[in-house]
Amino acid sequence: MTDMAAGGLRVVTLECTGCRHQALHELGQCATGDRCVVAMSGRQIDRFFRANPDEAAAYLDDGFWERRAIAARYAPLDLIDGLMHDPDEVVRRVVAGRIPDERLMELIHDPDRDVRAIAVQRLPGEQVEWALRDIDYLVRMFAVRKVSHGLLRPLIHDPEREVRKAVAQRLPPFALGVYATDPEPEVRRIAASRMLPPDAARLLDDDDWSVRLAAVGNAPLDTLAQRLAREEDEEIRGAMAGRLGV
């Protein structure tokens, strides 16, 4: 049987027999196939707790990981501490996004990289230096975006491209010349768009056209004037002309 209305009353279906929430069902606060906490469906469970947030606390120790994770989104903060070490990483990610700031340092050794990454994103910059040495590049990348410039030097030549890209976006312009020979065009392109004019001029001969185009925005005008006539790429030539006003 399916959920239906008869004479303005909610009809309890066979699926609801024995459910602890029959009273909610009769009030229209849950519905089979739509808002159902016992369904093995994250969407239905979420809709149930959205309509009945006061019920979430009762499911924080449920045997189904997804039900615990969704309940943790709605339960009072003072009740989710026990899930900081839940066996499922999805549950711990939800908790990491909700616990008070003063508890975040308890998560820096969590085995799941996403839990650590959430902690890094929420912690103030002066408390994330540990993450610069994390084994996972994602955690290091988020840390690079928050720490002071003086702490970035060890990661300038990080083996992961995404970390170097983050560093290139944060280093002061005078320090970006170090990336003129980076093996990844994306890193060189970011550096070229921010570096000092003499360093940008070096990248006008880069093998990658997008790096050369980014360098045009910072290269000295006299250098661009000398190269304009012999530039073969139409888009780069147009960017040079735009900067020169010709």
Side-chain angles (χ1 to χ4, degrees), residues 5 11 15 31 33 48 53 100-101 104 113 121 126 133 141 148 158 166 171 192 198 202 209:
V11 176
E15 292 90 337
F48 174 87
D101 293 351
L104 289 170
R113 74 165 191 177
Q121 292 174 82
E126 61 270 18
R133 299 179 293 276
M141 181 184 72
S148 63
D158 191 275
L171 284 177
R202 295 168 55 195
W209 75 270

Side-chain angles (χ1 to χ4, degrees), residues 157 176-184 187-188 191 195 202-203 206:
H157 298 294
L176 287 169
V178 68
Y179 282 133
T181 57
D182 191 273
E184 294 289 342
V187 177
R188 301 197 304 276
M195 59 179 36
R202 295 168 55 195
L203 290 176
D206 195 271

